[in-house]
Amino acid sequence: MENQKRLDEFQAKIDAGIKIEPKDWMPDKYRQTLVRQMSQHAHSEVIGMQPEANWLTRAPSLRAKKILMAKIQDEGGHGLYLYCAAETLGVSRDQYIQWLHEGKSKYASVFNYPSPTWADMGAIGWLVDGAAIVNQVSLQRTSYGPYARAMVRICKEESFHQRQGYEIMAEMAKGTPEQKEMAQEALNRWWWPSLMMFGPHDKESSNSGQSMKWGIKLESNDDLRQQFIDKTIPQVELIGLEVPDKNAKLMPNGSYKTSDIDWDEFWNVIKGNGPCNSQRLKHHKKAHDDGAWVRAAAEAYGKKQMELVD
Amino acid sequence: MRNTLNKMNHLQKYCLRIADNSWILGNRLGEYSSKGPFLEEDLAITNVGLDHVGLSEAVYKYVAELDGTKSADDYAFRRAEHEYFNIQLVEYPNEDFAYIMARQFLFDVYQFLFLEALVDSKDNTLAALAKKSLKEVTYHIRRSTQWMYRLGDGTEESHFKIQGALNELWMYKDEMFFMDETDEEMMKAGIGVDLNVLKTKWEDKVTEVLTKATLTVPENPLFSLQYGKNGHHTDFMGYILLDLQYLNSKYPDAKW
């Protein structure tokens, strides 16, 4: 039983803005929430490499190829920071990966959509990374120290990702009619999934209340989503594309009112029925399984070397 | 573009060989992204791939300057298969991690020795590029050498796999040291590298590492294929070019 005094002291620390560190006492539920959220975040970075790796060989210029390679590496690097940060909660990376493969741990649903054209490389950087930044900027102030510090590092790189994505879209939007059509079509496809990235409405979000009280989450899903919408709609218009929501309307307060998200689709993809859920997981499992003999060799060799030293 | 390539001088062809080796290998390594045996290794492979793409871009830019009518992207994306002059080894597919590492090790040793010699080239641009890339390749060779040890002297399975991959790729090694007119001319001009000298050093280094890795140096190949450095490629080349050139071929007027 966690006694009330400890809980009160814990809450007082959070309220005073003092970071919680790995060795500090924390309520089980706080730890569990972070295990769930941080592993989901780490997996998202790694699974997110797949739709982009899909276009690496087909990137159309030397510059585009270099940028995409660097970006995919950054995403994987973010996965590494996050796994390391999440391991401070007492769970190993192997365990997290096993949970991912067993479907017990999730990753961002947005990566369950395909990337059929080069414009998707633009849309993913601009919209998906753009939405992630809004969320991650907020998480830089999260109450768990290792998570907050990982976010600070990650945010520095994400803004470059978003710019490169927007640049791809801008270039295509002013290109040939086919390119412009591809750009618009990718925007249409990624618009709603990006808005879904912020999660359900506040009133439907079961974990939000406690997470906000504990300072894990600092702003509500709907507030963050609105920030993203208000930032992105003018960017759409600037490059001459159309917002894929006929009801989007600028309000007198400078904010945009938009149609509601198709929540059936949202829940459906979360439940595993999206177009690429099975593909993404299979890809990750296959790489992991195919690599088993390599990891075993590295371990065996490492042991032999240690024995030599002894 | 074909006619110009026929009239291309030795220096341009020499440079394209250097660039194409790294370009095709860089793309092969890129194909492996998100498929690595663990995250750190996945990133390391993409990182090496990125170094290769970087070197190829720098050399294509130099060729574009020499030529004056085409861009680096034209060289990378808009040539016919027989106008790419990479050695065949680098186009070999990513069959599994053993093949990827065997290909990498054989090439890294070659490229390291090649660049080390090219640093003294009378062509200032090539000498500078060699100097810069040598730092990266020093890291590449350290990494692939480590993998030869780990896989060779790891488990029975890994030993079997890496030995099999080395045996299979061994037939592509002679091409690295084959000297044709372009190589001779460049060497005489003090621009290019003496591949005969390289060959001995390469054999010494590879034998040393494989022996330490408890692996067997494969038998010499009985058959040498027509060489990629003169535009003759394996069955694998067409497919990677198809991917590489996809957007440029399908939308020739588009800028990206």
Side-chain angles (χ1 to χ4, degrees):
Chain A
M1 285 283 280
E2 288 158 352
N3 69 44
Q4 194 57 43
K5 188 164 168 278
R6 275 186 139 176
L7 279 170
D8 291 345
E9 280 170 8
F10 180 79
Q11 190 63 50
K13 258 170 99 174
I14 303 248
D15 295 343
I18 299 169
K19 295 278 181 243
I20 307 301
E21 295 300 334
K23 287 181 180 159
D24 295 347
W25 181 84
M26 60 187 85
D28 288 345
K29 184 80 199 311
Y30 179 86
R31 187 185 298 274
Q32 284 158 16
T33 303
L34 284 165
V35 161
R36 180 178 55 78
Q37 189 175 329
M38 290 171 75
S39 63
Q40 174 168 339
H41 202 154
H43 297 325
S44 302
E45 297 282 359
V46 174
I47 298 289
M49 293 163 75
Q50 290 181 33
E52 296 186 317
N54 182 36
W55 276 92
L56 202 44
T57 319
R58 292 177 291 173
S61 70
L62 285 153
R63 182 169 180 271
K65 181 153 333 231
K66 283 199 313 185
I67 291 176
L68 192 59
M69 277 180 125
K71 178 174 189 286
I72 295 172
Q73 261 190 293
D74 282 350
E75 310 292 7
H78 297 171
L80 272 183
Y81 306 158
L82 282 161
Y83 281 125
C84 290
E87 283 190 315
T88 64
L89 295 161
V91 179
S92 70
R93 200 205 305 183
D94 285 348
Q95 179 64 71
Y96 283 126
I97 289 173
Q98 193 187 326
W99 283 339
L100 173 70
H101 292 171
E102 291 168 355
K104 288 177 191 160
S105 182
K106 298 217 176 293
Y107 55 87
S109 259
V110 75
F111 297 121
N112 290 318
Y113 291 87
S115 55
T117 76
W118 175 250
D120 291 304
M121 297 305 98
I124 290 176
W126 173 30
L127 303 173
V128 176
D129 290 333
I133 292 171
V134 171
N135 197 20
Q136 287 168 346
V137 163
S138 176
L139 282 172
Q140 290 181 98
R141 292 176 289 127
T142 194
S143 60
Y144 188 56
Y147 196 20
R149 290 189 288 273
M151 282 303 119
V152 173
R153 289 180 72 177
I154 288 172
C155 281
K156 280 184 195 155
E157 291 171 350
E158 288 289 358
S159 58
F160 145 75
H161 296 171
Q162 198 202 4
R163 270 203 308 279
Q164 68 84 31
Y166 189 55
E167 187 191 292
I168 289 175
M169 288 300 254
E171 198 64 41
M172 290 182 75
K174 66 173 191 210
T176 65
E178 283 161 317
Q179 281 178 300
K180 185 164 184 181
E181 195 186 325
M182 252 189 261
Q184 181 66 54
E185 192 264 339
L187 170 61
N188 297 350
R189 278 185 291 108
W190 289 96
W191 177 255
W192 296 108
S194 304
L195 299 188
M196 291 177 196
M197 283 174 70
F198 297 95
H201 281 315
D202 298 339
K203 57 181 189 302
E204 314 276 340
S205 177
S206 52
N207 301 312
S208 274
Q210 186 62 64
S211 283
M212 285 182 82
K213 191 168 167 238
W214 276 336
I216 295 175
K217 197 177 165 79
L218 295 128
E219 290 168 90
S220 81
N221 293 352
D222 287 329
D223 285 352
L224 291 168
R225 182 163 25 239
Q226 192 62 48
Q227 284 177 33
F228 174 71
I229 291 170
D230 292 345
K231 196 176 75 163
T232 308
I233 289 183
Q235 293 174 347
V236 175
E237 288 165 349
L238 187 66
I239 56 174
L241 294 180
E242 272 177 42
V243 177
D245 177 0
K246 289 200 170 61
N247 299 318
K249 196 176 154 203
L250 185 61
M251 306 304 281
N253 66 358
S255 207
Y256 288 85
K257 191 173 175 342
T258 50
S259 306
D260 202 14
I261 285 167
D262 178 351
W263 293 108
D264 289 341
E265 175 178 328
F266 172 83
W267 291 113
N268 207 4
V269 179
I270 284 195
K271 280 179 197 143
N273 303 321
C276 301
N277 294 63
S278 151
Q279 175 190 337
R280 299 285 182 241
L281 210 53
K282 250 162 64 183
H283 179 111
H284 194 276
K285 273 188 204 161
K286 183 175 187 320
H288 191 74
D289 294 347
D290 288 351
W293 70 270
V294 180
R295 296 191 299 275
E299 202 187 323
Y301 180 75
K303 263 190 197 152
K304 283 183 198 173
Q305 294 308 106
M306 290 298 284
E307 281 159 17
L308 286 179
V309 174
D310 293 342
Chain B
M1 188 143 182
R2 189 167 181 174
N3 288 334
T4 354
L5 276 170
N6 286 342
K7 279 184 259 159
M8 160 174 296
N9 65 38
H10 289 306
L11 177 60
Q12 282 167 276
K13 190 166 188 183
Y14 197 76
C15 289
L16 281 180
R17 285 173 177 172
I18 298 170
D20 290 344
N21 279 343
S22 278
W23 178 233
I24 298 300
L25 183 58
N27 275 285
R28 276 286 182 236
L29 295 172
E31 283 180 328
Y32 195 61
S33 174
S34 82
K35 298 180 184 130
F38 49 95
L39 191 49
E40 287 84 345
E41 189 51 39
D42 198 310
L43 299 181
I45 286 185
T46 312
N47 193 25
V48 173
L50 186 53
D51 287 345
H52 280 289
V53 172
L55 171 62
S56 63
E57 183 185 33
V59 182
Y60 285 140
K61 276 187 179 157
Y62 181 44
V63 182
E65 262 172 46
L66 292 172
D67 171 83
T69 63
K70 286 181 285 288
S71 69
D73 278 329
D74 287 335
Y75 283 107
F77 293 96
R78 298 188 188 93
R79 277 179 290 161
E81 180 174 322
H82 66 272
E83 294 163 340
Y84 284 83
F85 303 126
N86 56 282
I87 58 172
Q88 294 177 345
L89 175 70
V90 296
E91 63 203 49
Y92 201 90
N94 298 335
E95 216 156 293
D96 67 7
F97 190 78
Y99 276 82
I100 291 172
M101 273 307 148
R103 181 183 69 200
Q104 198 62 39
F105 173 66
L106 301 180
F107 186 75
D108 285 347
V109 178
Y110 161 77
Q111 199 185 32
F112 178 84
L113 295 169
F114 181 84
L115 293 173
E116 196 182 45
L118 196 66
V119 166
D120 298 323
S121 172
K122 281 186 184 158
D123 183 299
N124 291 334
T125 307
L126 282 183
L129 285 173
K131 199 173 168 195
K132 183 172 172 282
S133 293
L134 203 54
K135 285 183 197 150
E136 295 166 355
V137 178
T138 305
Y139 157 75
H140 301 170
I141 196 175
R142 200 182 303 149
R143 221 177 68 80
S144 57
T145 300
Q146 268 301 317
W147 274 114
M148 288 305 108
Y149 297 154
R150 285 187 196 142
L151 298 181
D153 196 15
T155 63
E156 206 177 315
E157 185 183 10
S158 68
H159 180 92
F160 178 77
K161 285 195 158 154
I162 191 65
Q163 185 69 62
L166 286 164
N167 294 349
E168 197 69 27
L169 295 179
W170 202 247
M171 72 187 289
Y172 297 104
K173 73 157 175 99
D174 282 348
E175 181 180 6
M176 297 193 271
F177 315 106
F178 162 71
M179 289 190 80
D180 68 355
E181 194 195 342
T182 295
D183 294 296
E184 298 286 353
E185 289 298 322
M186 287 295 99
M187 194 181 75
K188 271 189 225 152
I191 294 171
V193 169
D194 185 348
L195 296 174
N196 293 313
V197 176
L198 225 66
K199 184 174 195 233
T200 318
K201 288 187 181 176
W202 185 90
E203 283 168 350
D204 289 349
K205 176 73 183 171
V206 169
T207 305
E208 178 201 316
V209 172
L210 295 192
T211 308
K212 196 177 161 197
T214 73
L215 293 162
T216 311
V217 178
E219 298 277 325
N220 270 329
L222 298 173
F223 187 86
S224 289
L225 295 151
Q226 291 252 45
Y227 289 143
K229 63 196 286 182
N230 282 318
H232 303 282
H233 294 285
T234 63
D235 284 353
F236 310 121
M237 183 69 168
Y239 295 96
I240 190 165
L241 284 183
L242 199 63
D243 275 350
L244 269 180
Q245 299 182 337
Y246 167 65
L247 287 168
N248 283 280
S249 317
K250 194 163 163 66
Y251 307 100
D253 302 326
K255 287 201 180 72
W256 303 91

